[in-house]
Amino acid sequence: MSGEVIRRARGAVAALVLVGLVVAPWVVDDYTTALLARTLALALVGVSVALLTGVAGMPTLGQTAPYAAGAYACAVVGSRVSDVGVVQLVVAAGAGALLAALIVPLVVHARGVIVLMITLAIGELVVVVLGRWRSVTGGTDGLAGVPAVRPFWGLPALASDQGRYLYALVVVATLVGAVLVLLRTRAGLVLRAGRDDETRLRASGHRVAVHLSGAHIAAGAIAGAAGSVLVVAQQYISPADFGFDTSALLLLGVVIGGTASVGGALVGAALVIAVRDWLFGVLPGHAPLVLGALFVATVYLLPTGVNRARSRLSEAAAPQPDPPAAQERATVGEVGR
Amino acid sequence: MTGLLDAQEVSVRYGSLAALDGVDLCVHDGQRHALIGPNGAGKSTLLDVLGGSTRPQRGTVRFAGRDIGRLGPAGRARRGINRIHQRPAVFATLTAAENVVVAALPRVIPRRRWWPAGRRRAAQQLAGPLLEQMGLTAVAAVPAGHLAHGQRRQLEIAMALAGRPRLLLLDEPAAGLSAVEVGRLVELLQALPRAVAVLLVEHRLDLVYALSDTVTVLRDGRTLAAGTPDEIRTSPLVRQAYADGVA
Ligand SMILES: Nc1ncnc2c1ncn2[C@@H]1O[C@H](COP(=O)(O)OP(=O)(O)OP(=O)(O)O)[C@@H](O)[C@H]1O
Ligand SMILES: [Mg+2]
């Protein structure tokens, strides 16, 4: 079957990319390595955006909020409590999940553009709080000099860019793997069903609000963990890392990648971030403009993303289901007989 | 006398239009109850009220002795009220088998089973018998959005059955089905265990008479008549209503 071939090819590509990512720090310079590590963190946030936008059907511009919560929690814990990576990760994921849980009542009953607006507002609010709450966050200066992380008790601290990059890679790959597994459980199945038709899901006895809350909190935990990866990669964070441009870029990346696909989200987010970083170099000051144009072009040309565009093409080749309304009404006339 | 489902004095208004105006309806355990009436009579609205997706302005709904007026659709489905919609509602990106699995999850599949659809085979094992009854075995692995209209309707019926209903609410299940499919549907409904009560909205009176033991006629949001199929068939009032309603 061709489906099997495609699946194999996709697996092979994923494996190749993974190998490339593992050897990358020995091929590129330290600066690029650090940049790659940061991109990994953002790609992981992209996965959480995809989980909400594509899988659960809640488009979001606010995943920078749990991302920031995780990053600051990790930075504070890393500076004052523990340099053990696992501890920092758990704390960061917990902080992201907690913030997401607090937001749940605001978003769980809203849909579509309303969710976008609410989450956008929350993301901006978090940036303001980060700038004002100086005693904890260092204000607009941010938090610098977070000690190098040691992945696990008894292991040495990661002093090199390569080491920190590999740590980021292991964490991101593990979490992405966990998300892929999660999507194959009943939870993933029900989420996809809810995106297709919430009314039907309710009529089958599913508590849709509970599912959506769970998805929102899980996505918050993932974004929080990504925040911890960012701290490890940069050893420095400031509110500028969590601004609106980041949310917009992530949503753009996820849309480009095809919202419902985790792999697509990874590729899309990484691509968009890479383009931004590259543009910063060649077109100083104009990067937002170019990205804005890219955003408009993407939304215009690919309203459902690359993946959907492809499946739409294959759908066009397949026989179309007949329109329901005509047939349904056809039997109505028999009443009078 | 109280039944499995007991709706009293149900009224639903949309603006100045009374879609339902003080309707009583009682469905007994194992009963095959048909609800007929001209277009716009309020049949679908009544199913919405019973299924929990529409809140009536007035009236009570009791199921198995309990007031369920405050429960939403999910709560009612968990208590055993399952329905199909006038426009077939299925999960378009899920395969037919996965659709059935999702419908079965809340009441049927124990929580410990985390992987009902993790592997195709497990899903097909669960969904297989129902899909076969509906003649959908060949399309078990096809996304529901790719199915033909009649197949989607049959899939939704399979989903309703997958929830192990005590009361099945069917809104025009035969609409858009081919003759073969209608035959299969009639067979299936006749073979349903008596533990399942059915409330059937259907325009095709031949099916109504073949399938039901009680018929309620609605018109303009009111109960016009109720009785056995024979009584309804010969009632001059009902003939008159239908003649007006459809002309
Ligand atoms: N959401 C709504 N808003 C406004 N009016 C509505 C709404 N739903 C139904 N109605 C009106 O209520 C009346 C009853 O509609 P309903 O769908 O229950 O009729 P029905 O008996 O199912 O008809 P049909 O045989 O055409 O399916 C109709 O006049 C319809 O236009
Ligand atoms: Mg109707």
Side-chain angles (χ1 to χ4, degrees):
Chain A
M1 286 294 291
S2 69
E4 191 59 29
V5 172
I6 290 175
R7 207 171 307 143
R8 290 248 175 92
R10 212 188 277 165
V13 169
L16 269 180
V17 169
L18 200 58
V19 169
L21 285 173
V22 171
V23 301
W26 285 276
V27 180
V28 299
D29 58 20
D30 278 357
Y31 173 75
T32 312
T33 301
L35 217 57
L36 278 177
R38 204 192 62 185
T39 306
L40 283 175
L42 282 161
L44 187 56
V45 188
V47 167
S48 83
V49 172
L51 198 61
L52 286 179
T53 303
V55 180
M58 305 166 91
T60 175
L61 278 170
Q63 278 308 93
T64 44
Y67 179 42
Y72 275 87
C74 171
V76 170
V77 167
S79 307
R80 301 181 191 174
V81 183
S82 167
D83 62 353
V84 177
V86 180
V87 173
Q88 295 180 5
L89 262 179
V90 170
V91 169
L98 185 67
L99 184 63
L102 293 175
I103 298 170
V104 157
L106 296 175
V107 294
V108 78
H109 295 295
R111 293 294 174 269
V113 180
I114 308 284
V115 184
L116 276 183
M117 288 160 65
I118 294 172
T119 52
L120 168 65
I122 291 167
E124 290 301 281
L125 198 67
V126 165
V127 171
V128 171
V129 170
L130 292 178
R132 295 273 168 87
W133 193 10
R134 294 185 155 271
S135 58
V136 175
T137 65
T140 46
D141 297 338
L143 293 174
V146 182
V149 71
R150 74 177 72 238
F152 208 76
W153 291 275
L155 291 180
L158 301 174
S160 68
D161 282 317
Q162 275 101 340
R164 287 191 288 269
Y165 167 84
L166 286 179
Y167 170 84
L169 184 60
V170 168
V171 170
V172 171
T174 308
L175 287 176
V176 168
V179 169
L180 288 174
V181 169
L182 182 85
L183 288 179
R184 289 179 156 244
T185 64
R186 61 193 285 165
L189 186 65
V190 170
L191 278 182
R192 287 191 289 137
R195 179 199 53 201
D196 283 355
D197 190 337
E198 264 181 41
T199 311
R200 177 67 254 180
L201 197 60
R202 277 200 196 92
S204 293
H206 289 275
R207 299 197 174 94
V208 173
V210 174
H211 298 313
L212 288 183
S213 308
H216 197 261
I217 292 170
I222 294 165
S228 161
V229 173
L230 178 75
V231 172
V232 169
Q234 291 191 158
Q235 295 182 285
Y236 160 77
I237 46 169
S238 80
D241 289 316
F242 310 103
F244 168 69
D245 54 333
T246 307
S247 323
L249 281 175
L250 287 171
L251 189 58
L252 173 64
V254 167
V255 169
I256 289 179
T259 50
S261 130
V262 169
L266 281 169
V267 173
L271 199 74
V272 168
I273 300 298
V275 167
R276 178 189 67 175
D277 292 344
W278 174 70
L279 282 178
F280 263 131
V282 295
L283 282 175
H286 296 299
L289 186 69
V290 176
L291 280 167
L294 191 60
F295 205 153
V296 172
T298 307
V299 173
Y300 183 72
L301 294 173
L302 296 173
T304 47
V306 175
N307 264 326
R308 288 286 182 83
R310 204 184 52 206
S311 68
R312 215 192 264 165
L313 285 179
S314 60
E315 232 169 68
Q320 289 292 311
D322 46 355
Q327 290 199 3
E328 206 164 62
R329 285 293 132 206
T331 50
V332 164
E334 300 183 30
V335 166
R337 269 164 243 155
Chain B
M1 190 174 159
T2 61
L4 176 66
L5 177 91
D6 208 347
Q8 287 189 342
E9 293 284 303
V10 173
S11 296
V12 173
R13 302 193 68 87
Y14 293 111
S16 62
L17 175 89
L20 290 176
D21 187 8
V23 171
D24 296 336
L25 184 84
C26 186
V27 180
H28 296 278
D29 259 317
Q31 199 176 32
R32 304 288 183 262
H33 197 130
L35 191 59
I36 63 173
N39 292 138
K43 307 179 295 293
S44 296
T45 306
L46 185 54
L47 287 204
D48 287 344
V49 168
L50 301 179
S53 53
T54 295
R55 288 275 151 97
Q57 276 88 7
R58 236 160 34 81
T60 56
V61 182
R62 299 177 69 80
F63 183 69
R66 288 216 193 145
D67 189 340
I68 55 167
R70 312 188 117 240
L71 291 180
R76 295 187 195 198
R78 282 166 180 264
R79 276 172 178 68
I81 302 182
N82 270 294
R83 73 175 295 191
I84 69 155
H85 300 80
Q86 188 163 357
R87 308 211 58 163
V90 294
F91 307 117
T93 66
L94 271 50
T95 66
E98 285 173 333
N99 268 271
V100 174
V101 170
V102 169
L105 280 175
R107 246 165 92 82
V108 180
I109 301 172
R111 289 221 164 261
R112 271 165 290 121
R113 290 195 54 176
W114 264 61
W115 319 89
R119 299 257 66 95
R120 282 224 168 99
R121 211 175 306 129
Q124 259 146 26
Q125 246 169 30
L126 270 163
L130 276 167
L131 291 175
E132 193 181 330
Q133 272 186 311
M134 298 309 308
L136 294 172
T137 306
V139 293
V142 175
H146 290 243
L147 297 179
H149 177 66
Q151 291 176 316
R152 258 180 278 164
R153 190 179 287 290
Q154 289 174 299
L155 177 58
E156 203 187 4
I157 295 170
M159 290 163 71
L161 290 173
R164 298 240 177 100
R166 291 181 66 189
L167 172 65
L168 201 53
L169 308 175
L170 301 174
D171 203 345
E172 302 190 26
L177 297 196
S178 70
V180 175
E181 289 167 337
V182 169
R184 194 156 43 210
L185 175 71
V186 170
E187 228 168 75
L188 178 98
L189 291 180
Q190 280 171 339
L192 275 184
R194 276 282 150 179
V196 185
V198 177
L199 181 60
L200 169 75
V201 172
E202 184 52 65
H203 278 302
R204 287 184 52 174
L205 295 181
D206 55 332
L207 297 185
V208 167
Y209 296 140
L211 288 171
S212 62
D213 46 40
T214 311
V215 180
T216 296
V217 187
L218 279 188
R219 190 193 173 190
D220 296 336
R222 290 167 184 269
T223 312
L224 189 71
T228 65
D230 279 336
E231 287 164 4
I232 296 299
R233 202 195 317 248
T234 51
S235 158
L237 203 61
V238 174
R239 287 171 170 257
Q240 181 60 38
Y242 263 103
D244 295 351
V246 179

